Amino acid sequence: MHVTPATARISSSALRHNIQTIKQKAPHSKVIAVVKANAYGHGVEFVSSAIEKDVDCFGVARLSEALKLRSNGITKPILLLEGFFDENDLAVIAVNNIETVVHNQEQLDALQRATLPNPIKVWLKIDTGMHRLGVNLAQVDKFYQALKNCPNVQPNIRFMSHFSRADERQSNYTNLQLERFLSAVNQRGERSIAASGGILFWQNSHLEWIRPGIIMYGISPDNNPDSVQDLAPVMSLISSLIAIRPLKKGEPVGYGGAWQSAKDTNIGIVAIGYGDGYPRDMPTGTPVLINGRRVPVVGRVSMDMLAVDLGAESQDSVGDEVVLWGNGLPIEEIAEKSGLLTYELITKLTPRVLTEYVD
Ligand SMILES: *Cc1c(COP(=O)(O)O)cnc(C)c1O
């Protein structure tokens, strides 16, 4: 007997296919591959080394993530998408060829105060309407001049901004943000505003640099699998059946007896639960794939297991593979069932989930 527990199966050929497809969509743009949050749960060491030669820069959210890439042998530039959090980190940033966003006065002050071994590459982040990070439109010129005159900052300052509604194809807010961005930058340097939504749906937003995150992993930014038909899912989340048990009509399954069978059937127990990051509140009826057919999750998800209704005619065996999402079962559909974002599902996986790299 052999049973594979919860495992994220990661396809490097799907990853390379996606990078090439994204580059074809934005043929004149350089690529900042966003690998924050452990490459969206896909394993940052593997993902970054698999794609390094195909991209121009990596984007992360924490200095610790940037340093992990460096200790893993990555030599391409790395951009801190939210800038630095502590001015004592500036020397480490400078010597490790890490680029930083500047989005507030505190960061500018720190750069002006610092004594550094070499100047740092800076991206000035402009708030064009997201109202999360970035300097206001009226402050752009002041920040630009100050950065230009700062000896700790490399020449040729770049500019970035972020869309708040790029996944909504009908919203005109994206055009408004783009217009504000273009006029604020006013041709003074290279620009980046498009993440996955901008890359897929707003061709005129590609500019000099794109910042793909979720689409590199073959997942759509608007929870619509049709948006990524030409991309391939990089992760399949799999596990296995560890028990198959007959169940009489009317008998309950799992904690709280939350589900009772309407007929005689066979219940399969799968070795994955909320302790692996599979959401506890996944509703009864959420599909999983077993031996090429969809069967529903039934009852409450436990920490280490969940139950599925295999049906009275089940020919399945203990050890058979179960796909929770990925190849043959789009994660967008699972996200829809759970009421969570695909972004959340993939970053919720816990360290207990094994990783298996294929092709
Ligand atoms: C996370 C992030 C991205 C990537 O977003 P996706 O929607 O996953 O493509 C791009 N830019 C910034 C600033 C980010 O924080």
Side-chain angles (χ1 to χ4, degrees), residues 45-357:
E45 289 97 336
F46 177 83
V47 167
S48 56
S49 28
I51 64 176
E52 181 171 25
K53 67 175 191 336
D54 300 314
V55 304
D56 303 284
C57 182
F58 289 98
V60 296
R62 302 282 187 269
L63 179 58
S64 59
E65 296 178 323
L67 294 175
K68 187 168 182 182
L69 289 177
R70 285 285 176 259
S71 58
N72 193 40
I74 295 295
T75 58
K76 287 263 167 89
I78 303 170
L79 171 61
L80 295 173
L81 295 165
E82 297 158 17
F84 56 96
F85 296 163
D86 185 333
E87 61 188 288
N88 295 318
D89 292 336
L90 281 170
V92 174
I93 289 170
V95 298
N96 282 287
N97 185 26
I98 296 170
E99 305 181 356
T100 185
V101 156
V102 167
H103 63 77
N104 66 16
Q105 186 69 44
E106 290 78 2
Q107 290 175 327
L108 177 61
D109 293 345
L111 270 169
Q112 288 172 329
R113 268 195 304 266
T115 309
L116 298 179
N118 54 277
I120 297 174
K121 187 93 200 161
V122 167
W123 296 67
L124 176 58
K125 178 144 190 188
I126 304 173
D127 178 10
T128 55
M130 173 89 166
H131 302 320
R132 188 175 60 180
L133 292 184
V135 305
N136 294 332
L137 295 171
Q139 302 175 298
V140 172
D141 292 347
K142 187 195 92 177
F143 269 81
Y144 175 70
Q145 287 307 329
L147 289 168
K148 227 173 103 155
N149 294 330
C150 179
N152 286 324
V153 174
Q154 289 183 24
N156 302 323
I157 289 140
R158 294 177 182 151
F159 297 86
M160 80 175 241
S161 188
H162 196 64
F163 289 133
S164 57
R165 306 179 66 173
D167 54 329
E168 299 170 43
R169 300 180 199 214
Q170 303 309 323
S171 169
N172 204 42
Y173 201 64
T174 300
N175 281 323
L176 178 66
Q177 283 193 270
L178 181 59
E179 279 162 30
R180 286 173 175 166
F181 185 52
L182 297 181
S183 75
V185 175
N186 194 17
Q187 317 275 358
R188 282 177 290 191
E190 295 184 1
R191 303 156 296 183
S192 178
I193 192 167
S196 291
I199 296 165
L200 290 186
F201 310 133
W202 306 90
Q203 186 83 34
N204 53 353
S205 74
H206 293 171
L207 305 176
E208 288 79 24
W209 292 85
I210 54 170
R211 305 193 306 266
I214 197 108
I215 54 173
M216 282 201 304
Y217 309 101
I219 302 170
S220 68
D222 63 342
N223 216 42
N224 178 359
D226 294 343
S227 305
V228 288
Q229 265 175 350
D230 52 356
L231 302 174
V234 174
M235 177 196 295
S236 291
L237 181 64
I238 62 159
S239 187
S240 312
L241 287 171
I242 57 170
I244 298 173
R245 333 243 334 276
L247 185 81
K248 288 284 177 213
K249 175 180 171 174
E251 288 294 321
V253 172
Y255 286 117
W259 177 85
Q260 295 97 33
S261 185
K263 53 182 177 14
D264 290 357
T265 188
N266 291 293
I267 291 298
I269 304 299
V270 184
I272 190 166
Y274 62 80
D276 302 290
Y278 191 85
R280 196 191 87 98
D281 41 15
M282 232 20 144
T284 284
T286 303
V288 308
L289 206 57
I290 300 181
N291 294 316
R293 77 187 195 285
R294 285 165 178 240
V295 300
V297 171
V298 294
R300 287 196 195 143
V301 173
S302 311
M303 187 185 287
D304 314 308
M305 290 171 271
L306 56 77
V308 295
D309 183 1
L310 295 171
E313 309 301 318
S314 159
Q315 301 289 309
D316 309 289
S317 310
V318 166
D320 285 357
E321 190 169 292
V322 179
V323 179
L324 289 307
W325 65 64
N327 258 334
L329 188 59
I331 190 170
E332 289 84 356
E333 206 179 307
I334 306 304
E336 187 76 44
K337 288 272 184 207
S338 68
L340 298 176
L341 293 178
T342 52
Y343 291 85
E344 272 183 276
L345 284 178
I346 50 180
T347 53
K348 265 168 65 77
L349 296 179
T350 67
R352 190 169 78 179
V353 177
L354 304 176
T355 315
E356 178 188 310
Y357 297 104

